[in-house]
Protein backbone atom coordinates (compact mmCIF):
# COMPACT_ATOMS: atom_id res chain seq x y z
CA UNK A 1 0.00 0.00 0.00
CA UNK A 2 2.80 2.46 0.86
CA UNK A 3 4.54 1.75 -2.42
CA UNK A 4 1.38 2.53 -4.37
CA UNK A 5 0.83 5.77 -2.46
CA UNK A 6 4.48 6.78 -2.91
CA UNK A 7 4.26 5.99 -6.65
CA UNK A 8 1.13 8.10 -7.05
CA UNK A 9 2.69 11.05 -5.19
CA UNK A 10 5.90 10.74 -7.19
CA UNK A 11 4.04 10.62 -10.51
CA UNK A 12 1.95 13.65 -9.56
CA UNK A 13 5.07 15.57 -8.53
CA UNK A 14 6.87 14.70 -11.77
CA UNK A 15 3.81 15.74 -13.80
CA UNK A 16 3.53 19.03 -11.88
CA UNK A 17 7.22 19.92 -12.28
CA UNK A 18 7.22 18.88 -15.93
CA UNK A 19 4.14 20.97 -16.63
CA UNK A 20 5.70 24.05 -14.98
CA UNK A 21 8.97 23.60 -16.90
CA UNK A 22 7.12 23.15 -20.19
CA UNK A 23 5.01 26.28 -19.58
CA UNK A 24 8.01 28.41 -18.64
CA UNK A 25 10.00 27.18 -21.63
CA UNK A 26 7.12 27.90 -24.02
CA UNK A 27 6.64 31.38 -22.57
CA UNK A 28 10.33 32.23 -22.93
CA UNK A 29 10.02 31.59 -26.66
CA UNK A 30 6.76 33.39 -27.29
CA UNK A 31 5.99 36.11 -24.75
CA UNK A 32 7.27 38.35 -21.99
CA UNK A 33 6.05 37.39 -18.53
CA UNK A 34 5.19 40.42 -16.41
CA UNK A 35 4.71 40.79 -12.68
CA UNK A 36 1.38 42.11 -11.45
CA UNK A 37 2.76 45.65 -11.10
CA UNK A 38 4.40 45.67 -14.54
CA UNK A 39 1.30 44.16 -16.16
CA UNK A 40 -0.88 46.93 -14.74
CA UNK A 41 1.47 49.79 -15.62
CA UNK A 42 2.35 48.61 -19.14
CA UNK A 43 -1.08 47.43 -20.29
CA UNK A 44 -2.89 50.80 -20.21
CA UNK A 45 -4.27 51.66 -23.64
CA UNK A 46 -3.52 48.24 -25.12
CA UNK A 47 -5.46 45.03 -25.70
CA UNK A 48 -5.94 43.24 -22.38
CA UNK A 49 -7.51 39.85 -22.95
CA UNK A 50 -8.95 37.67 -20.21
CA UNK A 51 -9.18 34.13 -21.56
CA UNK A 52 -10.97 32.67 -18.54
CA UNK A 53 -14.55 31.43 -18.52
CA UNK A 54 -17.22 34.16 -18.83
CA UNK A 55 -18.59 33.53 -15.33
CA UNK A 56 -15.19 34.16 -13.75
CA UNK A 57 -14.70 37.25 -15.91
CA UNK A 58 -18.11 38.65 -14.89
CA UNK A 59 -17.33 38.05 -11.24
CA UNK A 60 -13.96 39.86 -11.24
CA UNK A 61 -11.43 40.88 -13.88
CA UNK A 62 -8.55 43.23 -14.65
CA UNK A 63 -9.85 46.75 -15.18
CA UNK A 64 -10.07 47.44 -18.92
CA UNK A 65 -9.89 43.79 -19.98
CA UNK A 66 -12.22 42.09 -22.39
CA UNK A 67 -13.20 38.46 -22.22
CA UNK A 68 -12.38 36.35 -25.26
CA UNK A 69 -12.20 32.65 -24.50
CA UNK A 70 -9.22 30.59 -25.59
CA UNK A 71 -11.33 28.45 -27.93
CA UNK A 72 -12.60 31.48 -29.82
CA UNK A 73 -9.14 33.03 -30.16
CA UNK A 74 -7.70 29.72 -31.24
CA UNK A 75 -10.15 29.56 -34.14
CA UNK A 76 -10.15 33.24 -35.10
CA UNK A 77 -7.78 35.83 -33.65
CA UNK A 78 -8.89 38.68 -35.91
CA UNK A 79 -10.05 40.53 -32.77
CA UNK A 80 -6.37 41.13 -31.96
CA UNK A 81 -4.12 43.45 -33.93
CA UNK A 82 -0.62 42.25 -34.80
CA UNK A 83 0.83 45.76 -34.71
CA UNK A 84 -0.15 46.46 -31.07
CA UNK A 85 0.88 44.86 -27.79
CA UNK A 86 -1.42 42.12 -26.52
CA UNK A 87 -1.65 41.41 -22.78
CA UNK A 88 -3.02 37.98 -21.88
CA UNK A 89 -4.03 36.39 -18.61
CA UNK A 90 -5.91 33.39 -17.31
CA UNK A 91 -6.08 31.61 -13.96
CA UNK A 92 -2.55 30.24 -13.77
CA UNK A 93 -0.61 30.92 -17.03
CA UNK A 94 -1.23 27.48 -18.56
CA UNK A 95 -3.77 28.48 -21.20
CA UNK A 96 -2.15 31.88 -21.73
CA UNK A 97 1.14 30.11 -22.50
CA UNK A 98 -0.50 27.93 -25.16
CA UNK A 99 -2.28 30.92 -26.69
CA UNK A 100 0.86 33.07 -26.69
CA UNK A 101 2.76 30.27 -28.42
CA UNK A 102 0.07 29.98 -31.09
CA UNK A 103 -0.13 33.76 -31.62
CA UNK A 104 3.66 34.00 -31.90
CA UNK A 105 3.56 31.45 -34.71
CA UNK A 106 0.90 33.61 -36.41
CA UNK A 107 3.16 36.68 -36.41
CA UNK A 108 2.28 38.46 -33.17
CA UNK A 109 5.49 39.89 -31.72
CA UNK A 110 4.38 41.98 -28.74
CA UNK A 111 2.86 39.42 -26.39
CA UNK A 112 2.78 39.77 -22.61
CA UNK A 113 1.46 37.29 -20.05
CA UNK A 114 0.57 37.97 -16.41
CA UNK A 115 2.92 36.02 -14.15
CA UNK A 116 1.08 33.29 -12.23
CA UNK A 117 -2.23 34.38 -13.76
CA UNK A 118 -5.11 36.28 -12.24
CA UNK A 119 -4.79 34.55 -8.86
CA UNK A 120 -1.76 36.74 -8.05
CA UNK A 121 -2.95 39.98 -9.68
CA UNK A 122 -2.76 42.97 -7.30
CA UNK A 123 -3.79 45.82 -9.64
CA UNK A 124 -7.11 47.51 -10.34
CA UNK A 125 -10.00 45.13 -10.87
CA UNK A 126 -13.65 45.45 -11.77
CA UNK A 127 -16.14 43.40 -9.80
CA UNK A 128 -19.81 42.80 -10.50
CA UNK A 129 -20.92 41.85 -7.04
Amino acid sequence: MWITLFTIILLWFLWYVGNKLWTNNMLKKSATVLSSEDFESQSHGHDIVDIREPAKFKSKHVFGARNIQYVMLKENHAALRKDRPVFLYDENMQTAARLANMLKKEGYDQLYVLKNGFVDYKGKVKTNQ
Side-chain angles (χ1 to χ4, degrees):
M1 182 170 118
W2 290 106
I3 293 174
T4 304
L5 181 60
F6 176 75
T7 303
I8 291 170
I9 292 171
L10 180 63
L11 288 174
W12 176 84
F13 178 77
L14 291 173
W15 173 84
Y16 179 80
V17 170
N19 200 20
K20 286 289 188 186
L21 290 172
W22 177 80
T23 300
N24 290 337
N25 186 43
M26 189 178 351
L27 279 172
K28 283 182 185 178
K29 295 177 184 177
S30 57
T32 302
V33 178
L34 298 174
S35 68
S36 179
E37 296 81 14
D38 291 337
F39 191 88
E40 181 177 19
S41 66
Q42 294 179 28
S43 64
H44 289 291
H46 299 292
D47 287 334
I48 306 171
V49 182
D50 182 328
I51 56 177
R52 298 176 303 153
E53 296 295 319
K56 290 183 179 184
F57 176 81
K58 287 178 184 174
S59 172
K60 187 176 183 181
H61 60 270
V62 172
F63 190 78
R66 58 187 169 143
N67 184 230
I68 308 174
Q69 292 181 345
Y70 171 77
V71 176
M72 300 191 70
L73 280 173
K74 184 179 173 187
E75 296 298 320
N76 180 12
H77 37 271
L80 304 175
R81 292 179 47 179
K82 289 184 181 182
D83 62 332
R84 296 191 61 193
V86 177
F87 292 80
L88 303 168
Y89 72 92
D90 61 0
E91 283 298 318
N92 58 13
M93 287 191 348
Q94 299 294 317
T95 309
R98 285 196 307 265
L99 182 59
N101 191 45
M102 181 193 69
L103 291 173
K104 183 71 171 182
K105 290 177 182 176
E106 295 292 327
Y108 291 80
D109 291 325
Q110 301 176 66
L111 298 168
Y112 301 92
V113 174
L114 177 60
K115 183 177 184 178
N116 297 326
F118 189 69
V119 293
D120 285 348
Y121 186 67
K122 310 264 188 292
K124 294 180 185 176
V125 296
K126 182 175 181 184
T127 58
N128 292 330
Q129 295 178 0

